[in-house]
Amino acid sequence: MPCCLPSCLGVSSWPWGSCIWGSCWTSSPALSLKASHPLPASQLALDRSRVGDAILGLVCMVLLLVLKLMREHIPPPHPEMPLGVKFSRGLVWTVTTARNALVVSFAALIAYAFEVTGSHPFILTGKIAQGLPPVRMPPFSVTTDNKTISFSEMVQDMGVGLAVVPLMGLLETIAVAKSFASQNNYRIDANQELLAIGLTNVLGSLVSSYPVTGSFGRTAVNAQTGVCTPAGGLVTGVLVLLSLDYLTLLFYYIPKSALAAVIIMAVAPLFDVKIFRRLWLVQRLDLLPLCVTFLLSFWEIQYGILAGTLVSLLILLHSVARPKTQVSEGQILVLQPASGLHFPAVDALREAMTKRALEASPPRSAVLECTHVSNIDYTVILGLGELLEDFQKKGVTLAFVGLQVPVLRTLLAADLKGFQYFTTLEEAEKSLQQEPGTQPYSIREDTAPEHRSSLLKSPSGP
């Protein structure tokens, strides 16, 4: 757990920039921002665990759970409720809503009692620097050990951290926001989140703040407390400012195990056990990024989110590079890509065509049904040109069917040798089987020149 007041509250340095400024711009009502160390290191220290902290943490968790259940079972108010009952209900509601603060205060009193008697069973927050940092421009050079480090040297020392830290902060922020948005039925404006993170970090640099990102822990605590709007960040910021000026001596006795219990009980409801079964029944491949993110989050939550995002990106690229294709065998081979054709899929398409049509004995003609292809790029055009040449070398034909106007216009402009296209599959099969009565459109000058010219001169579609 963190070892200073800002860290215990979800912040690793002076937090008033993230608490006040960030809450004004973020689009998520309950999203809290935190200032975190750029690259924290997780350490498992089970051999140094303390019995006192473990017991106090478990007791605090039980108390938080009981108070939460009490709040959920408070009867709704009604006009005929007696005054005494209304007062009792209001008192219980206040106590259960402020359960985090009450449990932490209870743990601090216990720790203080032990400290007075000379016993030290708990790890305490310890001494906290009092007061607020000065507002000033961030230093562009640092003097350490009689050596001045320039700004360019700072940048060189950070290296890839300059890219990794903002990326992880962005991923964590969006993940937090979307998680709570799905639970509370509101939408997230990603651009607004980026604006909030960017402005908060710029203004935070004026008060010696660490980089600011979204906080799973603080957002969960806010949600469990009943915060529903960004005004919660303003209230938190004001309380933090007052605490840093007047209450730092009291926070000395707060046990870290009590703070850990608050965070654990706030984050635990976010874990949806049923998602594993739903994904197994609906889309098993989605279990891969879920499990990768879940397991690596035990190391560092930022690394878990980054790894899960990369795995999802790889799955997406695989689906683009290896699109599902419907194949109809017969005298004429018919292939129909179930999705669009992009440059990663050209090699897979060429391999399938070569294996099923050109390597067959004897080689046979093929039809590429392009109903689902809405656009193609230059790499795809080159691949199709090479494929047409391969078919011509084998003495067979590759025809195209169902081309949308933008795709057809692009292929005509490419002037591919041997390119033939038809409006329907039946026309293509009749032509390739040498049945009379049907002639293909082609790009040759002597074949439908007016049609080709009109397509090339017509304005592009949307």
Side-chain angles (χ1 to χ4, degrees):
M1 293 295 294
C3 58
C4 62
L5 172 62
S7 298
C8 297
L9 295 178
V11 204
S12 294
S13 183
W14 301 109
W16 54 304
S18 61
C19 294
I20 298 179
W21 295 328
S23 64
C24 298
W25 296 310
T26 178
S27 65
S28 175
L31 177 63
S32 293
L33 303 178
K34 72 173 181 179
S36 56
H37 192 277
L39 292 175
S42 297
Q43 296 179 351
L44 298 178
L46 297 178
D47 55 334
R48 294 181 294 169
S49 59
R50 300 165 62 96
V51 177
D53 286 315
I55 294 177
L56 181 62
L58 291 175
V59 171
C60 291
M61 292 174 63
V62 171
L63 289 176
L64 290 170
L65 179 61
V66 171
L67 292 174
K68 179 183 177 182
L69 294 176
M70 288 177 59
R71 189 176 188 275
E72 293 176 352
H73 291 83
I74 295 178
H78 56 83
E80 299 179 357
M81 183 179 292
L83 182 60
V85 177
K86 288 184 179 180
F87 177 78
S88 300
R89 181 190 176 281
L91 181 61
V92 173
W93 181 88
T94 302
V95 171
T96 54
T97 301
R99 58 185 179 275
N100 295 327
L102 294 177
V103 169
V104 170
S105 300
F106 165 76
L109 290 176
I110 294 179
Y112 177 75
F114 276 100
E115 291 291 325
V116 169
T117 59
S119 180
H120 308 283
F122 311 120
I123 298 179
L124 304 181
T125 299
K127 187 178 180 180
I128 300 168
Q130 188 174 6
L132 302 177
V135 179
R136 60 186 179 185
M137 291 295 295
F140 291 93
S141 63
V142 178
T143 302
T144 56
D145 299 331
N146 296 325
K147 179 183 178 181
T148 301
I149 302 176
S150 64
F151 179 75
S152 60
E153 292 175 332
M154 294 181 189
V155 173
Q156 292 176 0
D157 291 340
M158 293 185 68
V160 295
L162 288 173
V164 173
V165 172
L167 177 61
M168 288 187 173
L170 172 61
L171 292 177
E172 185 178 8
T173 301
I174 298 300
V176 176
K178 287 190 173 182
S179 174
F180 283 88
S182 62
Q183 292 185 5
N184 297 280
N185 299 320
Y186 61 86
R187 297 180 61 85
I188 291 297
D189 185 354
N191 292 330
Q192 190 75 8
E193 301 303 323
L194 288 175
L195 177 63
I197 294 296
L199 290 178
T200 304
N201 277 288
V202 170
L203 296 178
S205 65
L206 303 177
V207 290
S208 306
S209 171
Y210 279 122
V212 178
T213 64
S215 169
F216 273 107
R218 282 193 53 199
T219 304
V221 171
N222 279 351
Q224 292 293 314
T225 307
V227 175
C228 298
T229 68
L234 296 175
V235 175
T236 303
V238 172
L239 292 177
V240 169
L241 292 175
L242 295 176
S243 301
L244 289 175
D245 262 346
Y246 305 108
L247 301 177
T248 53
L249 295 178
L250 298 179
F251 292 136
Y252 178 92
Y253 297 99
I254 295 179
K256 294 186 178 180
S257 56
L259 298 173
V262 171
I263 296 177
I264 291 173
M265 294 304 297
V267 176
L270 299 178
F271 186 72
D272 184 8
V273 181
K274 298 180 180 179
I275 189 65
F276 290 94
R277 184 175 182 273
R278 289 199 296 268
L279 290 180
W280 179 262
L281 296 175
V282 177
Q283 181 59 269
R284 296 180 182 179
L285 187 60
D286 288 340
L287 284 171
L288 181 59
L290 172 64
C291 293
V292 169
T293 303
F294 177 75
L295 294 176
L296 288 183
S297 293
F298 285 100
W299 177 26
E300 284 293 344
I301 190 170
Q302 295 92 336
Y303 298 156
I305 295 175
L306 181 60
T309 303
L310 292 178
V311 172
S312 299
L313 181 60
L314 291 176
I315 294 175
L316 178 61
L317 290 177
H318 181 269
S319 64
V320 174
R322 297 293 185 270
K324 294 182 179 180
T325 305
Q326 297 180 2
V327 181
S328 298
E329 299 283 355
Q331 185 179 356
I332 304 296
L333 177 68
V334 180
L335 274 77
Q336 181 182 21
S339 58
L341 276 181
H342 303 281
F343 70 91
V346 174
D347 292 336
L349 176 64
R350 187 173 181 179
E351 180 181 350
M353 284 282 192
T354 302
K355 181 178 180 181
R356 294 177 179 272
L358 300 182
E359 294 181 357
S361 184
R364 53 181 173 171
S365 298
V367 175
L368 186 60
E369 219 287 352
C370 303
T371 304
H372 302 297
V373 179
S374 59
N375 60 79
I376 56 176
D377 53 39
Y378 184 70
T379 305
V380 173
I381 294 175
L382 292 179
L384 293 177
E386 295 173 355
L387 196 58
L388 287 170
E389 293 178 1
D390 293 339
F391 271 79
Q392 288 179 343
K393 291 177 182 178
K394 293 289 185 177
V396 291
T397 303
L398 171 62
F400 295 80
V401 169
L403 292 171
Q404 300 183 25
V405 174
V407 178
L408 177 57
R409 187 181 299 117
T410 302
L411 291 175
L412 289 175
D415 197 19
L416 299 178
K417 184 179 180 181
F419 171 66
Q420 297 181 0
Y421 64 96
F422 300 84
T423 56
T424 64
L425 181 60
E426 291 76 12
E427 291 180 359
E429 290 179 339
K430 287 180 181 180
S431 177
L432 296 180
Q433 292 172 358
Q434 300 300 321
E435 293 188 7
T438 304
Q439 293 297 328
Y441 298 111
S442 75
I443 62 171
R444 300 189 186 97
E445 292 298 333
D446 58 347
T447 308
E450 296 82 2
H451 180 73
R452 176 181 182 274
S453 177
S454 63
L455 280 173
L456 291 176
K457 292 180 179 179
S458 60
S460 301

